[in-house]
Amino acid sequence: GENVEQHPSTLSVQEGDSAVIKCTYSDSASNYFPWYKQELGKRPQLIIDIRSNVGEKKDQRIAVTLNKTAKHFSLHITETQPEDSAVYFCAASSNNQGGKLIFGQGTELSVKP
Amino acid sequence: GAVVSQHPSRVICKSGTSVKIECRSLDFQATTMFWYRQFPKQSLMLMATSNEGSKATYEQGVEKDKFLINHASLTLSTLTVTSAHPEDSSFYICSARDRIYEQYFGPGTRLTVT
């Protein structure tokens, strides 16, 4: 089955700096890669996603890149703000696995003012 | 946007009892719902995939007789934790998938077994 590895597990940056989180996946059939932000005790919130027919997607300060050949994808957050502090999860899914999401281990991002 | 609710949000039960958690899609029909479990400071682990009108598909290592899943309608799936033990204490989250394959998460249920 699919396996998703996420790094780093913790990330501390100064306000205004950029943050990058990386994930690799094992199943070449995976075709959907969402990123979630989760605050303590809350549900995961979708912040951006990318499908396998696209190499990059951007939404204001957040961007995601996908390298299908290498089977890895990354989240880039620019001009970080203290409210970006949370746990971020990547995930992967494929239609032939019924669309179930397999999550990475999570990255705890801390943005220091 | 699509809304998924879960009930209850928190439950405390005694060891050996059973607990039922409901997951509802409020404004769309969900042919597929997913159940996840999340321990403190860990990731979401998929427990099972629930399809309306059929038996749930459980992930490897998840006891189907302990975690009973019923998806009786296009808007409701239930997870029953039977004979709960303290090690079942966790945050249980459901998600519902709409017809264009977007997934929407419920707010989660915090289960504490004493």
Side-chain angles (χ1 to χ4, degrees), chain B:
Chain B
V3 179
V4 176
S5 70
Q6 263 182 260
H7 179 79
S9 58
R10 291 178 182 274
V11 57
I12 300 173
C13 70
K14 292 186 183 298
S15 188
T17 61
S18 295
V19 173
K20 180 185 283 188
I21 301 169
E22 292 186 349
C23 176
R24 292 181 186 273
S25 56
L26 298 185
D27 51 3
F28 67 100
Q29 293 183 330
T31 54
T32 303
M33 291 184 175
F34 302 91
W35 287 94
Y36 298 85
R37 180 167 54 180
Q38 186 176 32
F39 292 108
K41 293 193 175 293
Q42 292 190 24
S43 187
L44 286 81
M45 297 299 296
L46 180 66
M47 299 175 66
T49 301
S50 166
N51 289 298
E52 186 263 339
S54 62
K55 289 185 179 180
T57 302
Y58 291 81
E59 294 298 302
Q60 192 172 8
V62 178
E63 299 175 60
K64 61 181 67 177
D65 294 331
K66 180 170 183 62
F67 299 100
L68 301 179
I69 291 172
N70 184 285
H71 193 156
S73 77
L74 286 171
T75 59
L76 173 65
S77 176
T78 60
L79 167 67
T80 301
V81 183
T82 63
S83 187
H85 291 285
E87 56 264 32
D88 298 324
S89 298
S90 188
F91 191 49
Y92 291 86
I93 308 176
C94 70
S95 71
R97 193 176 71 181
D98 67 12
R99 295 187 189 281
I100 60 169
Y101 290 78
E102 296 286 336
Q103 276 196 43
Y104 303 92
F105 284 88
T109 297
R110 175 76 58 195
L111 170 64
T112 303
V113 184
T114 61

Side-chain angles (χ1 to χ4, degrees), chain A residues 3-110:
Chain A
N3 183 49
V4 179
E5 297 286 333
Q6 182 173 345
H7 298 281
S9 56
T10 61
L11 180 59
S12 182
V13 300
Q14 288 295 131
E15 183 177 1
D17 287 351
S18 295
V20 180
I21 303 170
K22 298 183 179 182
C23 289
T24 60
Y25 62 98
S26 61
D27 187 353
S28 56
S30 289
N31 57 3
Y32 177 62
F33 307 92
W35 285 89
Y36 293 91
K37 176 183 181 182
Q38 188 181 33
E39 297 176 347
L40 192 62
K42 301 286 182 64
R43 78 185 86 192
Q45 297 277 4
L46 178 69
I47 56 171
I48 196 167
D49 57 11
I50 192 167
R51 298 187 186 273
S52 58
N53 58 347
V54 176
E56 185 173 354
K57 184 176 178 180
K58 189 173 182 180
D59 182 5
Q60 299 183 347
R61 297 187 296 111
I62 296 173
V64 58
T65 58
L66 171 65
N67 183 326
K68 284 175 57 180
T69 304
K71 289 192 276 189
H72 69 67
F73 56 113
S74 301
L75 176 71
H76 304 252
I77 305 175
T78 58
E79 301 171 31
T80 53
Q81 301 165 3
E83 50 266 39
D84 293 330
S85 297
V87 179
Y88 290 80
F89 292 98
C90 63
S93 76
S94 67
N95 290 339
N96 62 4
Q97 289 288 320
K100 62 183 182 183
L101 290 170
I102 303 301
F103 283 82
Q105 295 86 347
T107 297
E108 185 171 4
L109 174 64
S110 174

